[in-house]
Amino acid sequence: MLPVHDPATWGPSLDAAVDAVNRGAVICLPTDTVYGVGADAFSPPAVAGLLAAKGRGRQMPPPVLIPNARTVDGLAREVPDSARLLMDACWPGALTVIVNAQLSLAWDLGDTHGTVALRVPDHAAALALLARTGPLAVTSANRTGEPAATTADDARVQLGDAVAVYLDAGDSPLGVASTIVDATGDRLRIVRQGGISRERIVEIVGEDAVAGDAG
């Protein structure tokens, strides 16, 4: 358990996490929503290890956390204006946006059907880590079917030795998962309600740009 409460002292903890990511291991990191388990998004064995730690199959690929919105165009294509409006308004924050992935990317996140779910977390330690590692495949730090971890201790109880490094920043600020919006169709579709409300999304993009309610 490595502390990342204070930017003045978290250097050695982030060093250990970056080293773990670089060698293809799975780490636990704090975010603004809940704790996540992460791995190098561009390493298929690392992503496979991440899914195994969570007890999840390829049919449920992990989202990808990125350090800033400028990273989007390197990972996604045909991003609609409505999705960019959401990114501009809600990132960093509790919004995950599903977009069409760049066809040239050498990664294997699972059965994505050519899409990728992207988010910029609103958490200083997570952003400092992502600035050094680049995009990380990250999903909530819990075994599939169990409650998402809101502390590093919660995550360790569920995931144990499957995770090489646990970064501890105390309680998760928000404590609920991100809202997921699918931006690959003609209209935005909310597929999971979370930290950003439907009302806020409609306020940003307009009612006509949003299809239906959460599935």
Side-chain angles (χ1 to χ4, degrees):
M1 195 72 67
L2 302 176
V4 287
H5 298 83
D6 182 356
T9 59
W10 70 25
S13 298
L14 291 187
D15 289 346
V18 170
D19 180 67
V21 169
N22 288 342
R23 67 174 189 268
V26 177
I27 66 168
C28 175
L29 66 152
T31 80
D32 49 327
T33 55
V34 295
Y35 273 76
V37 279
D40 182 356
F42 294 98
S43 169
V47 174
L50 170 64
L51 294 175
K54 192 172 172 70
R56 174 179 285 187
R58 288 177 53 81
Q59 75 279 7
M60 296 180 70
V64 173
L65 294 190
I66 56 178
N68 53 63
R70 297 187 301 276
T71 312
V72 169
D73 289 325
L75 304 178
R77 59 188 174 85
E78 301 169 357
V79 179
D81 291 342
S82 57
R84 292 195 188 275
L85 284 173
L86 285 184
M87 293 170 183
D88 289 344
C90 298
W91 282 357
L95 180 77
T96 299
V97 184
I98 301 171
V99 289
N100 292 305
Q102 286 283 5
L103 299 176
S104 60
L105 290 174
W107 62 8
D108 182 5
L109 299 171
D111 298 333
T112 63
H113 306 289
T115 67
V116 62
L118 300 176
R119 184 166 92 86
V120 180
D122 189 13
H123 193 286
L127 291 172
L129 177 66
L130 290 163
R132 295 180 58 183
T133 62
L136 292 178
V138 177
T139 184
S140 58
N142 57 281
R143 293 286 295 177
T144 296
E146 297 297 322
T150 57
T151 69
D153 283 330
D154 288 344
R156 186 164 59 178
V157 166
Q158 294 194 50
L159 301 168
D161 293 340
V163 171
V165 170
Y166 287 87
L167 297 179
D168 182 5
D171 292 346
S172 300
L174 192 58
V176 297
S178 65
T179 295
I180 301 178
V181 173
D182 186 344
T184 62
D186 292 336
R187 300 169 74 193
L188 300 176
R189 184 169 63 91
I190 301 171
V191 298
R192 183 180 74 190
Q193 297 278 10
I196 303 292
S197 68
R198 186 183 195 279
E199 290 74 20
R200 175 62 177 141
I201 292 170
V202 168
E203 179 183 312
I204 295 165
V205 301
E207 185 74 48
D208 290 346
V210 183
D213 292 322

